[in-house]
mmCIF file of all heavy atoms in Angstrom:
data_model
loop_
_atom_site.group_PDB
_atom_site.id
_atom_site.type_symbol
_atom_site.label_atom_id
_atom_site.label_comp_id
_atom_site.label_asym_id
_atom_site.label_seq_id
_atom_site.Cartn_x
_atom_site.Cartn_y
_atom_site.Cartn_z
ATOM 1 N N LEU A 102 82.124 144.008 120.409
ATOM 2 C CA LEU A 102 83.248 143.103 120.179
ATOM 3 C C LEU A 102 83.178 141.910 121.124
ATOM 4 O O LEU A 102 83.427 140.760 120.713
ATOM 5 C CB LEU A 102 84.567 143.864 120.378
ATOM 6 C CG LEU A 102 85.857 143.040 120.202
ATOM 7 C CD1 LEU A 102 85.941 142.457 118.804
ATOM 8 C CD2 LEU A 102 87.075 143.910 120.507
ATOM 9 N N ALA A 103 82.824 142.154 122.382
ATOM 10 C CA ALA A 103 82.733 141.058 123.357
ATOM 11 C C ALA A 103 81.677 140.039 122.943
ATOM 12 O O ALA A 103 81.873 138.824 123.078
ATOM 13 C CB ALA A 103 82.424 141.621 124.747
ATOM 14 N N ALA A 104 80.528 140.538 122.437
ATOM 15 C CA ALA A 104 79.459 139.625 122.010
ATOM 16 C C ALA A 104 79.896 138.804 120.799
ATOM 17 O O ALA A 104 79.593 137.606 120.692
ATOM 18 C CB ALA A 104 78.201 140.419 121.682
ATOM 19 N N ALA A 105 80.622 139.416 119.872
ATOM 20 C CA ALA A 105 81.102 138.700 118.691
ATOM 21 C C ALA A 105 82.101 137.618 119.079
ATOM 22 O O ALA A 105 82.069 136.495 118.557
ATOM 23 C CB ALA A 105 81.732 139.677 117.709
ATOM 24 N N ILE A 106 82.985 137.948 120.015
ATOM 25 C CA ILE A 106 83.943 136.950 120.504
ATOM 26 C C ILE A 106 83.209 135.807 121.190
ATOM 27 O O ILE A 106 83.528 134.626 120.992
ATOM 28 C CB ILE A 106 84.956 137.612 121.465
ATOM 29 C CG1 ILE A 106 85.825 138.611 120.701
ATOM 30 C CG2 ILE A 106 85.825 136.559 122.144
ATOM 31 C CD1 ILE A 106 86.719 139.457 121.601
ATOM 32 N N GLY A 107 82.212 136.154 122.014
ATOM 33 C CA GLY A 107 81.427 135.121 122.688
ATOM 34 C C GLY A 107 80.709 134.208 121.701
ATOM 35 O O GLY A 107 80.633 132.996 121.908
ATOM 36 N N ALA A 108 80.182 134.784 120.616
ATOM 37 C CA ALA A 108 79.486 133.976 119.603
ATOM 38 C C ALA A 108 80.453 133.006 118.930
ATOM 39 O O ALA A 108 80.129 131.840 118.694
ATOM 40 C CB ALA A 108 78.844 134.896 118.563
ATOM 41 N N ALA A 109 81.664 133.493 118.630
ATOM 42 C CA ALA A 109 82.656 132.624 117.989
ATOM 43 C C ALA A 109 83.055 131.480 118.916
ATOM 44 O O ALA A 109 83.175 130.320 118.482
ATOM 45 C CB ALA A 109 83.883 133.442 117.598
ATOM 46 N N ILE A 110 83.260 131.793 120.199
ATOM 47 C CA ILE A 110 83.633 130.744 121.150
ATOM 48 C C ILE A 110 82.489 129.751 121.332
ATOM 49 O O ILE A 110 82.713 128.540 121.447
ATOM 50 C CB ILE A 110 84.032 131.371 122.497
ATOM 51 C CG1 ILE A 110 85.306 132.209 122.333
ATOM 52 C CG2 ILE A 110 84.240 130.302 123.563
ATOM 53 C CD1 ILE A 110 85.718 132.969 123.585
ATOM 54 N N ALA A 111 81.256 130.264 121.356
ATOM 55 C CA ALA A 111 80.095 129.380 121.517
ATOM 56 C C ALA A 111 79.978 128.406 120.347
ATOM 57 O O ALA A 111 79.730 127.211 120.542
ATOM 58 C CB ALA A 111 78.819 130.216 121.642
ATOM 59 N N ILE A 112 80.166 128.905 119.118
ATOM 60 C CA ILE A 112 80.116 128.028 117.947
ATOM 61 C C ILE A 112 81.232 126.986 118.010
ATOM 62 O O ILE A 112 81.023 125.794 117.717
ATOM 63 C CB ILE A 112 80.238 128.853 116.648
ATOM 64 C CG1 ILE A 112 78.991 129.691 116.450
ATOM 65 C CG2 ILE A 112 80.452 127.941 115.441
ATOM 66 C CD1 ILE A 112 77.719 128.892 116.261
ATOM 67 N N ALA A 113 82.429 127.415 118.428
ATOM 68 C CA ALA A 113 83.548 126.481 118.545
ATOM 69 C C ALA A 113 83.247 125.405 119.584
ATOM 70 O O ALA A 113 83.589 124.225 119.392
ATOM 71 C CB ALA A 113 84.826 127.239 118.911
ATOM 72 N N ALA A 114 82.602 125.791 120.679
ATOM 73 C CA ALA A 114 82.259 124.819 121.718
ATOM 74 C C ALA A 114 81.218 123.815 121.227
ATOM 75 O O ALA A 114 81.316 122.614 121.496
ATOM 76 C CB ALA A 114 81.749 125.557 122.960
ATOM 77 N N VAL A 115 80.207 124.315 120.508
ATOM 78 C CA VAL A 115 79.185 123.409 119.946
ATOM 79 C C VAL A 115 79.820 122.415 118.979
ATOM 80 O O VAL A 115 79.516 121.218 118.996
ATOM 81 C CB VAL A 115 78.080 124.236 119.243
ATOM 82 C CG1 VAL A 115 77.152 123.308 118.449
ATOM 83 C CG2 VAL A 115 77.281 125.030 120.263
ATOM 84 N N LEU A 116 80.724 122.905 118.146
ATOM 85 C CA LEU A 116 81.409 122.023 117.199
ATOM 86 C C LEU A 116 82.278 120.999 117.929
ATOM 87 O O LEU A 116 82.380 119.846 117.503
ATOM 88 C CB LEU A 116 82.272 122.854 116.238
ATOM 89 C CG LEU A 116 81.512 123.721 115.238
ATOM 90 C CD1 LEU A 116 82.484 124.604 114.455
ATOM 91 C CD2 LEU A 116 80.700 122.850 114.275
ATOM 92 N N ALA A 117 82.896 121.412 119.038
ATOM 93 C CA ALA A 117 83.712 120.485 119.824
ATOM 94 C C ALA A 117 82.860 119.361 120.403
ATOM 95 O O ALA A 117 83.254 118.186 120.376
ATOM 96 C CB ALA A 117 84.434 121.240 120.946
ATOM 97 N N VAL A 118 81.692 119.711 120.915
ATOM 98 C CA VAL A 118 80.774 118.694 121.448
ATOM 99 C C VAL A 118 80.336 117.739 120.332
ATOM 100 O O VAL A 118 80.298 116.515 120.519
ATOM 101 C CB VAL A 118 79.551 119.363 122.107
ATOM 102 C CG1 VAL A 118 78.508 118.317 122.484
ATOM 103 C CG2 VAL A 118 79.973 120.153 123.333
ATOM 104 N N PHE A 119 80.043 118.290 119.172
ATOM 105 C CA PHE A 119 79.641 117.463 118.037
ATOM 106 C C PHE A 119 80.758 116.513 117.621
ATOM 107 O O PHE A 119 80.533 115.342 117.325
ATOM 108 C CB PHE A 119 79.242 118.367 116.867
ATOM 109 C CG PHE A 119 78.924 117.618 115.599
ATOM 110 C CD1 PHE A 119 77.766 116.854 115.498
ATOM 111 C CD2 PHE A 119 79.792 117.672 114.518
ATOM 112 C CE1 PHE A 119 77.474 116.156 114.342
ATOM 113 C CE2 PHE A 119 79.513 116.982 113.357
ATOM 114 C CZ PHE A 119 78.349 116.220 113.261
ATOM 115 N N ARG A 120 81.982 117.006 117.613
ATOM 116 C CA ARG A 120 83.119 116.169 117.227
ATOM 117 C C ARG A 120 83.355 115.052 118.237
ATOM 118 O O ARG A 120 83.653 113.915 117.862
ATOM 119 C CB ARG A 120 84.379 117.035 117.078
ATOM 120 C CG ARG A 120 84.283 118.036 115.935
ATOM 121 C CD ARG A 120 85.485 118.961 115.884
ATOM 122 N NE ARG A 120 86.702 118.248 115.504
ATOM 123 C CZ ARG A 120 87.875 118.846 115.334
ATOM 124 N NH1 ARG A 120 87.983 120.156 115.539
ATOM 125 N NH2 ARG A 120 88.925 118.140 114.979
ATOM 126 N N MET A 121 83.214 115.364 119.520
ATOM 127 C CA MET A 121 83.352 114.316 120.537
ATOM 128 C C MET A 121 82.226 113.303 120.428
ATOM 129 O O MET A 121 82.429 112.099 120.636
ATOM 130 C CB MET A 121 83.388 114.947 121.931
ATOM 131 C CG MET A 121 84.703 115.662 122.234
ATOM 132 S SD MET A 121 84.838 116.227 123.946
ATOM 133 C CE MET A 121 83.655 117.587 123.932
ATOM 134 N N TRP A 122 81.030 113.756 120.092
ATOM 135 C CA TRP A 122 79.900 112.842 119.889
ATOM 136 C C TRP A 122 80.168 111.900 118.724
ATOM 137 O O TRP A 122 79.743 110.742 118.742
ATOM 138 C CB TRP A 122 78.635 113.659 119.639
ATOM 139 C CG TRP A 122 77.435 112.816 119.319
ATOM 140 C CD1 TRP A 122 76.683 112.084 120.188
ATOM 141 C CD2 TRP A 122 76.868 112.610 118.017
ATOM 142 N NE1 TRP A 122 75.666 111.435 119.513
ATOM 143 C CE2 TRP A 122 75.760 111.740 118.180
ATOM 144 C CE3 TRP A 122 77.174 113.079 116.745
ATOM 145 C CZ2 TRP A 122 74.975 111.332 117.110
ATOM 146 C CZ3 TRP A 122 76.399 112.672 115.680
ATOM 147 C CH2 TRP A 122 75.309 111.807 115.866
ATOM 148 N N ARG A 123 80.900 112.389 117.725
ATOM 149 C CA ARG A 123 81.264 111.548 116.586
ATOM 150 C C ARG A 123 82.407 110.593 116.894
ATOM 151 O O ARG A 123 82.764 109.763 116.067
ATOM 152 C CB ARG A 123 81.668 112.424 115.397
ATOM 153 C CG ARG A 123 80.526 113.207 114.776
ATOM 154 C CD ARG A 123 81.002 113.924 113.537
ATOM 155 N NE ARG A 123 81.568 112.989 112.552
ATOM 156 C CZ ARG A 123 82.231 113.372 111.469
ATOM 157 N NH1 ARG A 123 82.444 114.648 111.245
ATOM 158 N NH2 ARG A 123 82.699 112.477 110.637
ATOM 159 N N GLY A 124 82.986 110.716 118.069
ATOM 160 C CA GLY A 124 84.038 109.787 118.468
ATOM 161 C C GLY A 124 85.443 110.321 118.338
ATOM 162 O O GLY A 124 86.408 109.564 118.518
ATOM 163 N N GLU A 125 85.607 111.617 118.040
ATOM 164 C CA GLU A 125 86.942 112.174 117.931
ATOM 165 C C GLU A 125 87.549 112.356 119.322
ATOM 166 O O GLU A 125 86.847 112.447 120.317
ATOM 167 C CB GLU A 125 86.907 113.515 117.190
ATOM 168 C CG GLU A 125 86.440 113.392 115.748
ATOM 169 C CD GLU A 125 86.576 114.698 114.981
ATOM 170 O OE1 GLU A 125 87.515 115.464 115.309
ATOM 171 O OE2 GLU A 125 85.762 114.955 114.087
ATOM 172 N N LYS A 126 88.872 112.426 119.364
ATOM 173 C CA LYS A 126 89.573 112.550 120.636
ATOM 174 C C LYS A 126 89.281 113.895 121.284
ATOM 175 O O LYS A 126 89.064 114.894 120.608
ATOM 176 C CB LYS A 126 91.080 112.388 120.423
ATOM 177 C CG LYS A 126 91.471 110.980 119.981
ATOM 178 C CD LYS A 126 92.971 110.872 119.815
ATOM 179 C CE LYS A 126 93.364 109.466 119.370
ATOM 180 N NZ LYS A 126 94.844 109.338 119.185
ATOM 181 N N LEU A 127 89.324 113.886 122.606
ATOM 182 C CA LEU A 127 88.979 115.080 123.377
ATOM 183 C C LEU A 127 89.892 116.258 123.036
ATOM 184 O O LEU A 127 89.424 117.373 122.792
ATOM 185 C CB LEU A 127 89.055 114.765 124.867
ATOM 186 C CG LEU A 127 88.803 115.945 125.823
ATOM 187 C CD1 LEU A 127 87.375 116.454 125.673
ATOM 188 C CD2 LEU A 127 89.068 115.516 127.268
ATOM 189 N N MET A 128 91.207 116.013 123.007
ATOM 190 C CA MET A 128 92.148 117.105 122.767
ATOM 191 C C MET A 128 91.996 117.679 121.362
ATOM 192 O O MET A 128 92.116 118.894 121.160
ATOM 193 C CB MET A 128 93.575 116.617 122.992
ATOM 194 C CG MET A 128 93.880 116.256 124.438
ATOM 195 S SD MET A 128 93.503 117.604 125.592
ATOM 196 C CE MET A 128 94.645 118.856 125.015
ATOM 197 N N ALA A 129 91.733 116.804 120.381
ATOM 198 C CA ALA A 129 91.546 117.286 119.007
ATOM 199 C C ALA A 129 90.299 118.159 118.912
ATOM 200 O O ALA A 129 90.294 119.186 118.228
ATOM 201 C CB ALA A 129 91.431 116.106 118.049
ATOM 202 N N ALA A 130 89.233 117.758 119.610
ATOM 203 C CA ALA A 130 87.992 118.525 119.562
ATOM 204 C C ALA A 130 88.121 119.858 120.297
ATOM 205 O O ALA A 130 87.614 120.884 119.843
ATOM 206 C CB ALA A 130 86.851 117.698 120.165
ATOM 207 N N LEU A 131 88.817 119.854 121.432
ATOM 208 C CA LEU A 131 88.937 121.079 122.229
ATOM 209 C C LEU A 131 89.998 122.028 121.688
ATOM 210 O O LEU A 131 90.045 123.191 122.097
ATOM 211 C CB LEU A 131 89.257 120.722 123.689
ATOM 212 C CG LEU A 131 88.157 119.997 124.458
ATOM 213 C CD1 LEU A 131 88.602 119.721 125.882
ATOM 214 C CD2 LEU A 131 86.852 120.796 124.447
ATOM 215 N N GLY A 132 90.848 121.544 120.786
ATOM 216 C CA GLY A 132 91.882 122.408 120.223
ATOM 217 C C GLY A 132 91.302 123.611 119.515
ATOM 218 O O GLY A 132 91.841 124.729 119.619
ATOM 219 N N GLY A 133 90.191 123.407 118.790
ATOM 220 C CA GLY A 133 89.550 124.518 118.100
ATOM 221 C C GLY A 133 89.001 125.556 119.062
ATOM 222 O O GLY A 133 89.112 126.774 118.823
ATOM 223 N N VAL A 134 88.420 125.098 120.169
ATOM 224 C CA VAL A 134 87.895 126.026 121.174
ATOM 225 C C VAL A 134 89.028 126.847 121.776
ATOM 226 O O VAL A 134 88.912 128.063 121.962
ATOM 227 C CB VAL A 134 87.154 125.252 122.284
ATOM 228 C CG1 VAL A 134 86.585 126.223 123.323
ATOM 229 C CG2 VAL A 134 86.034 124.403 121.695
ATOM 230 N N PHE A 135 90.146 126.177 122.070
ATOM 231 C CA PHE A 135 91.291 126.872 122.648
ATOM 232 C C PHE A 135 91.833 127.940 121.698
ATOM 233 O O PHE A 135 92.125 129.068 122.104
ATOM 234 C CB PHE A 135 92.394 125.854 122.972
ATOM 235 C CG PHE A 135 93.645 126.474 123.520
ATOM 236 C CD1 PHE A 135 93.701 126.928 124.831
ATOM 237 C CD2 PHE A 135 94.770 126.625 122.722
ATOM 238 C CE1 PHE A 135 94.859 127.511 125.345
ATOM 239 C CE2 PHE A 135 95.925 127.190 123.206
ATOM 240 C CZ PHE A 135 95.967 127.639 124.529
ATOM 241 N N GLY A 136 91.939 127.596 120.406
ATOM 242 C CA GLY A 136 92.444 128.553 119.424
ATOM 243 C C GLY A 136 91.561 129.775 119.301
ATOM 244 O O GLY A 136 92.057 130.919 119.261
ATOM 245 N N VAL A 137 90.251 129.559 119.249
ATOM 246 C CA VAL A 137 89.313 130.693 119.144
ATOM 247 C C VAL A 137 89.345 131.535 120.417
ATOM 248 O O VAL A 137 89.290 132.769 120.362
ATOM 249 C CB VAL A 137 87.887 130.174 118.864
ATOM 250 C CG1 VAL A 137 86.872 131.318 118.923
ATOM 251 C CG2 VAL A 137 87.823 129.489 117.510
ATOM 252 N N ALA A 138 89.455 130.874 121.570
ATOM 253 C CA ALA A 138 89.489 131.610 122.837
ATOM 254 C C ALA A 138 90.738 132.481 122.934
ATOM 255 O O ALA A 138 90.671 133.632 123.388
ATOM 256 C CB ALA A 138 89.443 130.625 124.008
ATOM 257 N N VAL A 139 91.888 131.958 122.488
ATOM 258 C CA VAL A 139 93.117 132.737 122.526
ATOM 259 C C VAL A 139 93.030 133.922 121.565
ATOM 260 O O VAL A 139 93.395 135.057 121.912
ATOM 261 C CB VAL A 139 94.331 131.852 122.186
ATOM 262 C CG1 VAL A 139 95.586 132.704 122.016
ATOM 263 C CG2 VAL A 139 94.544 130.805 123.261
ATOM 264 N N ALA A 140 92.519 133.675 120.354
ATOM 265 C CA ALA A 140 92.362 134.763 119.382
ATOM 266 C C ALA A 140 91.398 135.826 119.909
ATOM 267 O O ALA A 140 91.646 137.034 119.774
ATOM 268 C CB ALA A 140 91.855 134.203 118.055
#
Side-chain angles (χ1 to χ4, degrees):
L102 179 60
I106 294 172
I110 295 175
I112 291 297
V115 170
L116 291 174
V118 172
F119 175 71
R120 295 175 68 177
M121 287 187 288
W122 176 76
R123 291 186 57 190
E125 296 187 31
K126 293 181 180 179
L127 176 64
M128 293 306 297
L131 293 181
V134 181
F135 178 76
V137 173
V139 171

